[in-house]
Amino acid sequence: LITLIVVFGQHLNAHAAQACEEGGFCSWGKVAKGWRGDINESKQLRKMLQDISYKKEIILTHFGGTRSHWMDVVLQLYTEMAHMGYGHFVVLGRHGRTCDAVGKGAPDANCAWDSSPLHERMFGDTTGEGAQEVLWHLHWRIIARVARAGVNILTLDNDYILFRDPYVHLKRGPFAHHHLLCMHEGGSPINCNAGFIYVQNVAPDGPVSWVFKRATEVALRWMDDDFQFLYSLGRMDKHSPHL
């Protein structure tokens, strides 16, 4: 039984080591490991992209807690990325403590956080581990910032599983000519599931950049009037200055 497990493990590692080769984005060992930093400032974001991105590509997942059971899921996704050969993978955390917790479980995992100041009542509780709304706001923000910096970004929910190289599909055939890809959500043809988003080859002032800028800006504008428009359930005059 032990022999079989070893043989199977060797086969799995051999197969995994080749998983990234078909798409041509094998970056493990070619980019930084264990990168940590606050990307609030543009220079730090550029530093992260310089150190971690590979062929103008980066893969990101987000995680908000420090002791949550989701930590196991995040570490599992990191392990999958490593075995597939993707070093250009980074976890977006709520704060430095999140990245410290990720680092304890996976010292080589890259992790960044954004300390941009937010309204204390933004989306309700902004301090607890469960303040996922804030993390989603930061998620839209980093997509916009990375895309505007000229780097393609693939974002995945941390419970996502990849069975093969996604770049085989993203860089070939019809998908190669699309600038924004996401998963279908529910029964509506216009709903986009944010569990899988890929943005590639976009102009800093183009329509795709605008989409994520807008998604980020809406929440910030809600803060401008102390959330009165949001609390009114949209019944305020749409010509109000904050809109």
Side-chain angles (χ1 to χ4, degrees), residues 23-99:
F25 289 91
C26 296
S27 58
W28 189 260
K30 301 176 183 177
V31 298
K33 295 180 182 178
W35 196 96
R36 303 280 188 277
D38 183 355
I39 56 172
N40 176 21
E41 297 184 3
S42 296
K43 63 180 180 180
Q44 276 298 97
L45 176 69
R46 291 194 297 268
K47 175 63 174 172
M48 183 193 76
L49 295 177
Q50 177 183 342
D51 293 346
I52 300 176
S53 66
Y54 181 72
K55 295 183 179 180
K56 293 188 175 182
E57 299 283 339
I58 196 166
I59 304 173
L60 178 140
T61 193
H62 61 256
F63 174 61
T66 56
R67 299 178 302 276
S68 168
H69 67 281
W70 286 101
M71 175 65 77
D72 293 340
V73 181
V74 172
L75 296 179
Q76 174 66 28
L77 180 59
Y78 162 74
T79 301
E80 292 172 10
M81 294 291 108
H83 279 289
M84 294 184 75
Y86 300 128
H88 57 290
F89 173 76
V90 60
V91 178
L92 174 65
R94 282 281 314 281
H95 35 58
R97 296 189 305 277
T98 303
C99 288

Side-chain angles (χ1 to χ4, degrees), residues 144-164:
R145 296 175 69 197
V146 169
R148 285 175 56 84
V151 175
N152 303 331
I153 179 169
L154 170 63
T155 68
L156 304 171
D157 275 357
N158 51 40
D159 58 353
Y160 213 86
I161 298 176
L162 291 176
F163 291 100
R164 65 171 300 185

